[in-house]
Amino acid sequence: MTSQVDHLVVLAASLAEGVRWCESVLGVTPGPGGEHALMGTHNRLVALASPVYPRAYLELIAIHSGAPCGRTSSTRRWFDLDDPEIQLQLEKNGPQLAHFVARTERAEACVRALARLGLDRGEVLQASRMTPQGLLQWKISVRDDGERLLFGTLPTLIQWGEVHPAQAMAPSGVSLLSLEARHPRPDLLRAAYQAIGLAGVALGQGAPNLVATLQTPRGPVVLESKGL
């Protein structure tokens, strides 16, 4: 099995706030995204392609005001968006890097490999949204409780259909230079990354943190999750 960094996830209290953050911090206006009826969320996207991460992008995502989660009443939205503490931090501190998603051709097999390590990555769901180019389809691992796990350092797994969204993204002038995950138990993360064949993420020991270094029109920018 192999997997690669697909996209960074920046959570926002509202999508409008996420756009303002992107313009202020990265110096670019995010491109179009769409709505996720299954989760009651919507997003905007920024291409981050670089030689090391050729299809990478950044996803600004927020709960769609007034849109219910399309799952059952006992389940929650992806990426911890329903967590009251997360919501409070986003309202207080603004949008923040919280997670990353890894692309694979064998999502179900990767989930089983993580389960053998005692890591429940969740069910692999079918998802889709409409785009100007047609229907975008993918499979994605989501726990019923919506948790990211290990403070967001264990990636959500995604398996794209015939089309990858980066194919329709215009160059943004922003590129992903590196991604590092830090955790008090780096051996567990290392085993998890090896189990899914993940490349392109450095590992370090310390307080939980994701550290993404980007090249932007304003120069290098470092985004951190800081245990969100």
Side-chain angles (χ1 to χ4, degrees):
M1 287 181 290
T2 61
S3 58
Q4 303 83 35
V5 174
D6 189 72
H7 62 275
L8 306 180
V9 179
V10 172
L11 305 183
S14 73
L15 201 52
E17 188 172 345
V19 171
R20 291 192 293 270
W21 171 90
C22 189
E23 292 172 339
S24 173
V25 174
L26 303 184
V28 299
T29 299
E35 300 179 6
H36 313 109
L38 181 65
M39 295 289 168
T41 57
H42 56 169
N43 66 7
R44 296 279 295 269
L45 309 176
V46 180
L48 299 179
S50 68
V52 178
Y53 308 97
R55 286 191 173 185
Y57 65 96
L58 183 147
E59 176 184 33
L60 290 157
I61 189 166
I63 294 174
H64 197 324
S65 178
C69 179
R71 306 178 78 193
T72 65
S73 59
S74 61
T75 56
R76 306 178 83 177
R77 292 175 174 87
W78 46 25
F79 308 143
D80 281 315
L81 275 166
D82 282 324
D83 186 297
E85 181 61 30
I86 296 288
Q87 293 177 353
L88 184 63
Q89 289 193 49
L90 294 176
E91 291 172 3
K92 180 181 179 181
N93 301 319
Q96 189 171 337
L97 175 66
H99 194 36
F100 74 103
V101 176
R103 179 175 68 254
T104 178
E105 296 299 322
R106 300 179 62 193
E108 288 93 346
C110 284
V111 166
R112 291 194 295 270
L114 292 174
R116 289 192 286 271
L117 297 174
L119 296 167
D120 180 4
R121 185 61 282 179
E123 182 183 356
V124 177
L125 305 177
Q126 293 277 358
S128 64
R129 67 175 177 85
M130 286 303 302
T131 75
Q133 293 76 35
L135 186 66
L136 189 63
Q137 297 178 295
W138 65 95
K139 296 178 180 179
I140 188 167
S141 64
V142 184
R143 291 166 55 97
D144 284 348
D145 58 14
E147 288 188 13
R148 296 162 294 150
L149 294 185
L150 302 180
F151 293 92
T153 60
L154 182 70
T156 287
L157 298 163
I158 197 164
Q159 181 176 335
W160 290 103
E162 295 181 0
V163 178
H164 189 279
Q167 295 172 233
M169 291 183 200
S172 66
V174 181
S175 58
L176 177 60
L177 302 180
S178 66
L179 181 63
E180 180 184 5
R182 300 173 189 165
H183 195 271
R185 298 179 61 192
D187 289 346
L188 176 60
L189 266 187
R190 183 173 293 107
Y193 289 2
Q194 290 175 346
I196 61 175
L198 180 63
V201 184
L203 280 173
Q205 184 168 14
N209 200 8
L210 277 177
V211 183
T213 302
L214 310 177
Q215 184 64 46
T216 80
R218 297 184 173 179
V221 170
V222 177
L223 304 180
E224 298 187 58
S225 64
K226 296 181 179 178
L228 182 70

